[in-house]
């Protein structure tokens, strides 16, 4: 991370050290000597921050944002933006969620989010949900804070998130700006009948009692309103998607494999005049064409290709904000939303 120095002024002078005979104030000689003395001072202001070395793709993205041309940015996020918060993604070999569900004795990893499986055996999901319930252990990352910063600057149209961790909301992004494509934990309902169930009571039973709540009307298993396999996406997703895609003037995709539909179709729904930026460890979806960044789409200035910023989301966001002189604002936002005070930096 860039080190920040407090502004200082260093004063250097070449004036001779020996003293001169005192003169009567107000004489022409006094004024001449004063003018000569002031002319020998050199005032140097040290920069307040050191610019980080930036890959060309990050620099290009910074130039786009600095142009002030974009006021309807659409962001699509996946599990990769939450990994540094301590929440595993789903598919990374060895560390992903699906590779670490053996203790639940599932017939297949995805069964933990399968609606029919939950109705018959809710225990695996209940255990997982009690460990990952939003707002208990995990704080927003700097990537989540960056999304909140874009809203603060009036640049964010919508954040389509595939995540159920609610870290965008905890980071300060307003609920109106978020589309939680796969649902959330704030409300709950029965999996057998359409009856709603109090969200706070659902949380208490799952987190504290480690069991599935039961519907007060039919006795069926209740779960938080996150989308399981076999369920449709929230109505708000469908209501806003097409109009948001038409308005989008820049698309930012971060931390996703783009393997789960229909959300993985979003990058191909923006206008061809809309530049697309991918912050990810690898090329995915239609960003990948013949082994490299595909060039069929034209962005607004007709340079003719997408922008791929390879690597860790948080690291790239920090470099980006350093280039834009947004780093102090980013850190203030992130610090204000941490559930646990950050460890002292070495």
């Amino acid at each position: 991370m860039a080190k920040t120095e407090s502004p200082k002024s260093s004063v250097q002078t070449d004036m001779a050290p020996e003293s001169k005979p005192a003169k009567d104030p107000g004489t022409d000689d006094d004024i001449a000597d004063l003018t000569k003395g002031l002319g020998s001072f050199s005032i140097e202001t040290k920069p307040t921050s050191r610019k980080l070395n930036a890959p060309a793709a990050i620099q290009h993205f910074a130039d786009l944002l600095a142009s002030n041309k974009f006021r309807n940015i659409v962001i699509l996020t996946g599990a990769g933006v939450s990994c540094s918060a301590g929440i595993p993604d789903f598919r990374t070999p060895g560390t992903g969620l699906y590779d670490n569900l053996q203790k639940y004795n599932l017939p297949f990893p995805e069964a933990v989010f399968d609606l029919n499986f939950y109705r018959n055996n809710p225990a695996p999901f209940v255990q997982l949900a009690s460990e990952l319930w939003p707002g208990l252990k995990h704080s927003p990352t700097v990537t989540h804070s960056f999304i909140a910063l874009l809203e603060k600057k009036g640049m964010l149209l919508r954040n389509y998130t595939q995540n159920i961790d609610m870290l965008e909301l905890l980071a300060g992004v307003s609920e109106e700006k978020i589309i939680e494509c796969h649902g959330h934990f704030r409300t709950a309902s029965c999996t057998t009948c359409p009856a709603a169930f109090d969200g706070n009571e659902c949380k208490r039973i799952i987190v504290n009692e480690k069991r599935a709540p039961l519907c007060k009307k039919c006795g069926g298993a209740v779960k938080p309103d996150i989308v399981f396999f076999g369920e449709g996406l929230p109505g708000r997703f469908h209501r806003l998607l097409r109009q948001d895609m038409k308005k989008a003037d820049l698309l930012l995709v971060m931390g996703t494999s783009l393997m789960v539909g229909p959300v993985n179709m979003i990058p191909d729904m923006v206008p061809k005049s809309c530049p697309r930026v991918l912050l990810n460890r690898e090329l995915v979806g239609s960003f990948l064409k013949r082994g490299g960044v595909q060039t069929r789409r034209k962005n607004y200035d007709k340079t003719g290709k997408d922008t791929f910023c390879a690597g860790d989301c948080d690291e790239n966001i920090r470099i980006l904000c350093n280039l834009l002189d947004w780093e102090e604002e980013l850190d203030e936002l992130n610090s204000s939303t941490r559930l646990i005070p950050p460890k002292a930096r070495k």
Side-chain angles (χ1 to χ4, degrees), residues 263-289:
V263 179
N264 61 356
M265 298 170 62
I266 287 177
D268 299 307
M269 296 179 69
V270 295
K272 289 189 176 181
S273 61
C274 177
R276 308 190 308 173
V277 179
L278 174 67
L279 267 68
N280 218 37
R281 293 192 180 277
E282 59 187 5
L283 284 164
V284 292
S286 61
F287 287 92
L288 178 63
K289 187 75 174 181

PDB file of all heavy atoms in Angstrom, residues 263-289:
ATOM      1  N   VAL A 263     -27.143 -15.040 -14.632  1.00  0.00           N
ATOM      2  CA  VAL A 263     -26.353 -13.839 -14.339  1.00  0.00           C
ATOM      3  C   VAL A 263     -25.141 -13.738 -15.257  1.00  0.00           C
ATOM      4  O   VAL A 263     -24.698 -12.635 -15.596  1.00  0.00           O
ATOM      5  CB  VAL A 263     -25.930 -13.839 -12.858  1.00  0.00           C
ATOM      6  CG1 VAL A 263     -25.092 -12.618 -12.532  1.00  0.00           C
ATOM      7  CG2 VAL A 263     -27.162 -13.876 -11.956  1.00  0.00           C
ATOM      8  N   ASN A 264     -24.604 -14.883 -15.680  1.00  0.00           N
ATOM      9  CA  ASN A 264     -23.411 -14.838 -16.536  1.00  0.00           C
ATOM     10  C   ASN A 264     -23.681 -14.263 -17.914  1.00  0.00           C
ATOM     11  O   ASN A 264     -22.749 -14.042 -18.700  1.00  0.00           O
ATOM     12  CB  ASN A 264     -22.784 -16.233 -16.657  1.00  0.00           C
ATOM     13  CG  ASN A 264     -23.714 -17.255 -17.284  1.00  0.00           C
ATOM     14  OD1 ASN A 264     -24.879 -16.967 -17.580  1.00  0.00           O
ATOM     15  ND2 ASN A 264     -23.213 -18.462 -17.473  1.00  0.00           N
ATOM     16  N   MET A 265     -24.947 -13.974 -18.222  1.00  0.00           N
ATOM     17  CA  MET A 265     -25.288 -13.363 -19.504  1.00  0.00           C
ATOM     18  C   MET A 265     -25.200 -11.837 -19.463  1.00  0.00           C
ATOM     19  O   MET A 265     -25.212 -11.179 -20.514  1.00  0.00           O
ATOM     20  CB  MET A 265     -26.710 -13.783 -19.901  1.00  0.00           C
ATOM     21  CG  MET A 265     -26.885 -15.275 -20.097  1.00  0.00           C
ATOM     22  SD  MET A 265     -28.631 -15.747 -20.283  1.00  0.00           S
ATOM     23  CE  MET A 265     -29.070 -14.853 -21.774  1.00  0.00           C
ATOM     24  N   ILE A 266     -25.094 -11.263 -18.270  1.00  0.00           N
ATOM     25  CA  ILE A 266     -25.102  -9.810 -18.130  1.00  0.00           C
ATOM     26  C   ILE A 266     -24.009  -9.119 -18.947  1.00  0.00           C
ATOM     27  O   ILE A 266     -24.283  -8.102 -19.608  1.00  0.00           O
ATOM     28  CB  ILE A 266     -25.025  -9.418 -16.640  1.00  0.00           C
ATOM     29  CG1 ILE A 266     -26.367  -9.711 -15.954  1.00  0.00           C
ATOM     30  CG2 ILE A 266     -24.641  -7.952 -16.458  1.00  0.00           C
ATOM     31  CD1 ILE A 266     -26.391  -9.424 -14.464  1.00  0.00           C
ATOM     32  N   PRO A 267     -22.772  -9.618 -18.953  1.00  0.00           N
ATOM     33  CA  PRO A 267     -21.746  -8.908 -19.726  1.00  0.00           C
ATOM     34  C   PRO A 267     -22.057  -8.781 -21.211  1.00  0.00           C
ATOM     35  O   PRO A 267     -21.520  -7.877 -21.879  1.00  0.00           O
ATOM     36  CB  PRO A 267     -20.494  -9.766 -19.501  1.00  0.00           C
ATOM     37  CG  PRO A 267     -20.714 -10.398 -18.178  1.00  0.00           C
ATOM     38  CD  PRO A 267     -22.182 -10.706 -18.142  1.00  0.00           C
ATOM     39  N   ASP A 268     -22.908  -9.643 -21.738  1.00  0.00           N
ATOM     40  CA  ASP A 268     -23.241  -9.589 -23.162  1.00  0.00           C
ATOM     41  C   ASP A 268     -24.526  -8.822 -23.432  1.00  0.00           C
ATOM     42  O   ASP A 268     -24.967  -8.727 -24.578  1.00  0.00           O
ATOM     43  CB  ASP A 268     -23.359 -11.006 -23.721  1.00  0.00           C
ATOM     44  CG  ASP A 268     -22.056 -11.774 -23.595  1.00  0.00           C
ATOM     45  OD1 ASP A 268     -21.031 -11.249 -24.047  1.00  0.00           O
ATOM     46  OD2 ASP A 268     -22.070 -12.876 -23.021  1.00  0.00           O
ATOM     47  N   MET A 269     -25.125  -8.243 -22.384  1.00  0.00           N
ATOM     48  CA  MET A 269     -26.380  -7.519 -22.541  1.00  0.00           C
ATOM     49  C   MET A 269     -26.195  -6.007 -22.611  1.00  0.00           C
ATOM     50  O   MET A 269     -27.118  -5.287 -22.967  1.00  0.00           O
ATOM     51  CB  MET A 269     -27.333  -7.869 -21.394  1.00  0.00           C
ATOM     52  CG  MET A 269     -27.770  -9.321 -21.367  1.00  0.00           C
ATOM     53  SD  MET A 269     -28.869  -9.700 -19.978  1.00  0.00           S
ATOM     54  CE  MET A 269     -30.343  -8.782 -20.450  1.00  0.00           C
ATOM     55  N   VAL A 270     -25.005  -5.513 -22.257  1.00  0.00           N
ATOM     56  CA  VAL A 270     -24.786  -4.063 -22.318  1.00  0.00           C
ATOM     57  C   VAL A 270     -24.630  -3.636 -23.776  1.00  0.00           C
ATOM     58  O   VAL A 270     -24.286  -4.449 -24.645  1.00  0.00           O
ATOM     59  CB  VAL A 270     -23.543  -3.653 -21.507  1.00  0.00           C
ATOM     60  CG1 VAL A 270     -23.748  -3.935 -20.032  1.00  0.00           C
ATOM     61  CG2 VAL A 270     -22.289  -4.344 -22.022  1.00  0.00           C
ATOM     62  N   PRO A 271     -24.891  -2.372 -24.099  1.00  0.00           N
ATOM     63  CA  PRO A 271     -24.731  -1.911 -25.474  1.00  0.00           C
ATOM     64  C   PRO A 271     -23.305  -2.097 -25.972  1.00  0.00           C
ATOM     65  O   PRO A 271     -22.349  -2.100 -25.183  1.00  0.00           O
ATOM     66  CB  PRO A 271     -25.087  -0.421 -25.382  1.00  0.00           C
ATOM     67  CG  PRO A 271     -25.896  -0.280 -24.146  1.00  0.00           C
ATOM     68  CD  PRO A 271     -25.385  -1.312 -23.197  1.00  0.00           C
ATOM     69  N   LYS A 272     -23.152  -2.245 -27.272  1.00  0.00           N
ATOM     70  CA  LYS A 272     -21.816  -2.411 -27.835  1.00  0.00           C
ATOM     71  C   LYS A 272     -20.979  -1.144 -27.701  1.00  0.00           C
ATOM     72  O   LYS A 272     -19.757  -1.185 -27.863  1.00  0.00           O
ATOM     73  CB  LYS A 272     -21.913  -2.850 -29.291  1.00  0.00           C
ATOM     74  CG  LYS A 272     -22.404  -4.280 -29.450  1.00  0.00           C
ATOM     75  CD  LYS A 272     -22.277  -4.772 -30.876  1.00  0.00           C
ATOM     76  CE  LYS A 272     -22.686  -6.240 -30.976  1.00  0.00           C
ATOM     77  NZ  LYS A 272     -22.555  -6.757 -32.349  1.00  0.00           N
ATOM     78  N   SER A 273     -21.615  -0.034 -27.411  1.00  0.00           N
ATOM     79  CA  SER A 273     -20.890   1.210 -27.175  1.00  0.00           C
ATOM     80  C   SER A 273     -20.354   1.309 -25.750  1.00  0.00           C
ATOM     81  O   SER A 273     -19.649   2.256 -25.410  1.00  0.00           O
ATOM     82  CB  SER A 273     -21.805   2.405 -27.446  1.00  0.00           C
ATOM     83  OG  SER A 273     -22.930   2.377 -26.585  1.00  0.00           O
ATOM     84  N   CYS A 274     -20.698   0.332 -24.911  1.00  0.00           N
ATOM     85  CA  CYS A 274     -20.347   0.362 -23.483  1.00  0.00           C
ATOM     86  C   CYS A 274     -19.011  -0.334 -23.247  1.00  0.00           C
ATOM     87  O   CYS A 274     -18.892  -1.537 -23.501  1.00  0.00           O
ATOM     88  CB  CYS A 274     -21.448  -0.319 -22.665  1.00  0.00           C
ATOM     89  SG  CYS A 274     -21.115  -0.443 -20.896  1.00  0.00           S
ATOM     90  N   PRO A 275     -17.999   0.354 -22.749  1.00  0.00           N
ATOM     91  CA  PRO A 275     -16.732  -0.316 -22.424  1.00  0.00           C
ATOM     92  C   PRO A 275     -16.925  -1.301 -21.280  1.00  0.00           C
ATOM     93  O   PRO A 275     -17.713  -1.059 -20.367  1.00  0.00           O
ATOM     94  CB  PRO A 275     -15.806   0.827 -22.027  1.00  0.00           C
ATOM     95  CG  PRO A 275     -16.702   1.937 -21.633  1.00  0.00           C
ATOM     96  CD  PRO A 275     -17.946   1.800 -22.448  1.00  0.00           C
ATOM     97  N   ARG A 276     -16.183  -2.398 -21.350  1.00  0.00           N
ATOM     98  CA  ARG A 276     -16.274  -3.443 -20.323  1.00  0.00           C
ATOM     99  C   ARG A 276     -14.901  -3.639 -19.688  1.00  0.00           C
ATOM    100  O   ARG A 276     -13.892  -3.740 -20.386  1.00  0.00           O
ATOM    101  CB  ARG A 276     -16.758  -4.765 -20.926  1.00  0.00           C
ATOM    102  CG  ARG A 276     -18.034  -4.655 -21.733  1.00  0.00           C
ATOM    103  CD  ARG A 276     -18.593  -6.020 -22.106  1.00  0.00           C
ATOM    104  NE  ARG A 276     -17.612  -6.895 -22.737  1.00  0.00           N
ATOM    105  CZ  ARG A 276     -17.824  -8.174 -23.034  1.00  0.00           C
ATOM    106  NH1 ARG A 276     -18.996  -8.721 -22.752  1.00  0.00           N
ATOM    107  NH2 ARG A 276     -16.888  -8.907 -23.607  1.00  0.00           N
ATOM    108  N   VAL A 277     -14.889  -3.715 -18.361  1.00  0.00           N
ATOM    109  CA  VAL A 277     -13.643  -3.900 -17.619  1.00  0.00           C
ATOM    110  C   VAL A 277     -13.796  -5.136 -16.739  1.00  0.00           C
ATOM    111  O   VAL A 277     -14.790  -5.284 -16.031  1.00  0.00           O
ATOM    112  CB  VAL A 277     -13.318  -2.670 -16.746  1.00  0.00           C
ATOM    113  CG1 VAL A 277     -12.026  -2.893 -15.966  1.00  0.00           C
ATOM    114  CG2 VAL A 277     -13.213  -1.414 -17.613  1.00  0.00           C
ATOM    115  N   LEU A 278     -12.810  -6.021 -16.781  1.00  0.00           N
ATOM    116  CA  LEU A 278     -12.803  -7.240 -15.974  1.00  0.00           C
ATOM    117  C   LEU A 278     -11.642  -7.183 -14.991  1.00  0.00           C
ATOM    118  O   LEU A 278     -10.480  -7.102 -15.395  1.00  0.00           O
ATOM    119  CB  LEU A 278     -12.662  -8.475 -16.865  1.00  0.00           C
ATOM    120  CG  LEU A 278     -12.499  -9.828 -16.151  1.00  0.00           C
ATOM    121  CD1 LEU A 278     -13.780 -10.199 -15.397  1.00  0.00           C
ATOM    122  CD2 LEU A 278     -12.133 -10.936 -17.154  1.00  0.00           C
ATOM    123  N   LEU A 279     -11.944  -7.212 -13.677  1.00  0.00           N
ATOM    124  CA  LEU A 279     -10.941  -7.367 -12.621  1.00  0.00           C
ATOM    125  C   LEU A 279     -11.084  -8.773 -12.087  1.00  0.00           C
ATOM    126  O   LEU A 279     -12.037  -9.086 -11.361  1.00  0.00           O
ATOM    127  CB  LEU A 279     -11.162  -6.344 -11.498  1.00  0.00           C
ATOM    128  CG  LEU A 279     -10.405  -5.015 -11.593  1.00  0.00           C
ATOM    129  CD1 LEU A 279     -10.939  -4.196 -12.756  1.00  0.00           C
ATOM    130  CD2 LEU A 279     -10.520  -4.226 -10.291  1.00  0.00           C
ATOM    131  N   ASN A 280     -10.132  -9.638 -12.426  1.00  0.00           N
ATOM    132  CA  ASN A 280     -10.295 -11.054 -12.126  1.00  0.00           C
ATOM    133  C   ASN A 280      -8.937 -11.738 -12.189  1.00  0.00           C
ATOM    134  O   ASN A 280      -7.992 -11.217 -12.795  1.00  0.00           O
ATOM    135  CB  ASN A 280     -11.238 -11.692 -13.160  1.00  0.00           C
ATOM    136  CG  ASN A 280     -12.160 -12.731 -12.579  1.00  0.00           C
ATOM    137  OD1 ASN A 280     -12.646 -12.591 -11.456  1.00  0.00           O
ATOM    138  ND2 ASN A 280     -12.421 -13.784 -13.334  1.00  0.00           N
ATOM    139  N   ARG A 281      -8.848 -12.918 -11.601  1.00  0.00           N
ATOM    140  CA  ARG A 281      -7.595 -13.662 -11.689  1.00  0.00           C
ATOM    141  C   ARG A 281      -7.395 -14.286 -13.065  1.00  0.00           C
ATOM    142  O   ARG A 281      -6.275 -14.592 -13.460  1.00  0.00           O
ATOM    143  CB  ARG A 281      -7.549 -14.749 -10.611  1.00  0.00           C
ATOM    144  CG  ARG A 281      -7.466 -14.184  -9.193  1.00  0.00           C
ATOM    145  CD  ARG A 281      -7.119 -15.263  -8.194  1.00  0.00           C
ATOM    146  NE  ARG A 281      -7.040 -14.728  -6.840  1.00  0.00           N
ATOM    147  CZ  ARG A 281      -5.975 -14.127  -6.322  1.00  0.00           C
ATOM    148  NH1 ARG A 281      -4.902 -13.959  -7.074  1.00  0.00           N
ATOM    149  NH2 ARG A 281      -5.990 -13.674  -5.082  1.00  0.00           N
ATOM    150  N   GLU A 282      -8.488 -14.479 -13.788  1.00  0.00           N
ATOM    151  CA  GLU A 282      -8.381 -15.084 -15.111  1.00  0.00           C
ATOM    152  C   GLU A 282      -9.475 -14.558 -16.018  1.00  0.00           C
ATOM    153  O   GLU A 282     -10.487 -14.035 -15.566  1.00  0.00           O
ATOM    154  CB  GLU A 282      -8.471 -16.609 -15.004  1.00  0.00           C
ATOM    155  CG  GLU A 282      -9.778 -17.091 -14.360  1.00  0.00           C
ATOM    156  CD  GLU A 282      -9.787 -18.592 -14.106  1.00  0.00           C
ATOM    157  OE1 GLU A 282      -8.751 -19.224 -14.339  1.00  0.00           O
ATOM    158  OE2 GLU A 282     -10.832 -19.099 -13.684  1.00  0.00           O
ATOM    159  N   LEU A 283      -9.233 -14.680 -17.322  1.00  0.00           N
ATOM    160  CA  LEU A 283     -10.241 -14.309 -18.299  1.00  0.00           C
ATOM    161  C   LEU A 283     -11.401 -15.289 -18.237  1.00  0.00           C
ATOM    162  O   LEU A 283     -11.197 -16.498 -18.131  1.00  0.00           O
ATOM    163  CB  LEU A 283      -9.639 -14.303 -19.704  1.00  0.00           C
ATOM    164  CG  LEU A 283      -8.751 -13.112 -20.057  1.00  0.00           C
ATOM    165  CD1 LEU A 283      -7.930 -13.410 -21.292  1.00  0.00           C
ATOM    166  CD2 LEU A 283      -9.614 -11.878 -20.276  1.00  0.00           C
ATOM    167  N   VAL A 284     -12.617 -14.770 -18.317  1.00  0.00           N
ATOM    168  CA  VAL A 284     -13.806 -15.621 -18.214  1.00  0.00           C
ATOM    169  C   VAL A 284     -14.856 -15.128 -19.198  1.00  0.00           C
ATOM    170  O   VAL A 284     -14.808 -14.000 -19.691  1.00  0.00           O
ATOM    171  CB  VAL A 284     -14.390 -15.601 -16.785  1.00  0.00           C
ATOM    172  CG1 VAL A 284     -13.455 -16.280 -15.797  1.00  0.00           C
ATOM    173  CG2 VAL A 284     -14.694 -14.164 -16.339  1.00  0.00           C
ATOM    174  N   GLY A 285     -15.834 -15.998 -19.456  1.00  0.00           N
ATOM    175  CA  GLY A 285     -16.983 -15.630 -20.276  1.00  0.00           C
ATOM    176  C   GLY A 285     -16.578 -15.095 -21.639  1.00  0.00           C
ATOM    177  O   GLY A 285     -15.604 -15.539 -22.248  1.00  0.00           O
ATOM    178  N   SER A 286     -17.321 -14.108 -22.112  1.00  0.00           N
ATOM    179  CA  SER A 286     -17.045 -13.553 -23.430  1.00  0.00           C
ATOM    180  C   SER A 286     -15.861 -12.596 -23.429  1.00  0.00           C
ATOM    181  O   SER A 286     -15.498 -12.051 -24.472  1.00  0.00           O
ATOM    182  CB  SER A 286     -18.285 -12.831 -23.967  1.00  0.00           C
ATOM    183  OG  SER A 286     -18.643 -11.754 -23.114  1.00  0.00           O
ATOM    184  N   PHE A 287     -15.241 -12.371 -22.254  1.00  0.00           N
ATOM    185  CA  PHE A 287     -13.983 -11.633 -22.241  1.00  0.00           C
ATOM    186  C   PHE A 287     -12.864 -12.482 -22.849  1.00  0.00           C
ATOM    187  O   PHE A 287     -11.836 -11.970 -23.253  1.00  0.00           O
ATOM    188  CB  PHE A 287     -13.598 -11.255 -20.808  1.00  0.00           C
ATOM    189  CG  PHE A 287     -14.429 -10.153 -20.223  1.00  0.00           C
ATOM    190  CD1 PHE A 287     -15.575 -10.438 -19.497  1.00  0.00           C
ATOM    191  CD2 PHE A 287     -14.072  -8.823 -20.393  1.00  0.00           C
ATOM    192  CE1 PHE A 287     -16.342  -9.427 -18.946  1.00  0.00           C
ATOM    193  CE2 PHE A 287     -14.829  -7.803 -19.850  1.00  0.00           C
ATOM    194  CZ  PHE A 287     -15.976  -8.105 -19.125  1.00  0.00           C
ATOM    195  N   LEU A 288     -13.073 -13.791 -22.867  1.00  0.00           N
ATOM    196  CA  LEU A 288     -12.078 -14.713 -23.399  1.00  0.00           C
ATOM    197  C   LEU A 288     -12.432 -15.062 -24.838  1.00  0.00           C
ATOM    198  O   LEU A 288     -13.512 -15.564 -25.126  1.00  0.00           O
ATOM    199  CB  LEU A 288     -12.048 -15.984 -22.544  1.00  0.00           C
ATOM    200  CG  LEU A 288     -11.096 -17.097 -22.976  1.00  0.00           C
ATOM    201  CD1 LEU A 288      -9.656 -16.615 -22.917  1.00  0.00           C
ATOM    202  CD2 LEU A 288     -11.278 -18.313 -22.069  1.00  0.00           C
ATOM    203  N   LYS A 289     -11.494 -14.808 -25.737  1.00  0.00           N
ATOM    204  CA  LYS A 289     -11.719 -15.096 -27.153  1.00  0.00           C
ATOM    205  C   LYS A 289     -10.401 -15.519 -27.785  1.00  0.00           C
ATOM    206  O   LYS A 289      -9.442 -14.761 -27.837  1.00  0.00           O
ATOM    207  CB  LYS A 289     -12.265 -13.848 -27.865  1.00  0.00           C
ATOM    208  CG  LYS A 289     -12.690 -14.081 -29.316  1.00  0.00           C
ATOM    209  CD  LYS A 289     -14.000 -14.838 -29.374  1.00  0.00           C
ATOM    210  CE  LYS A 289     -14.512 -14.938 -30.810  1.00  0.00           C
ATOM    211  NZ  LYS A 289     -15.796 -15.649 -30.878  1.00  0.00           N
TER     212      LYS A 289
END
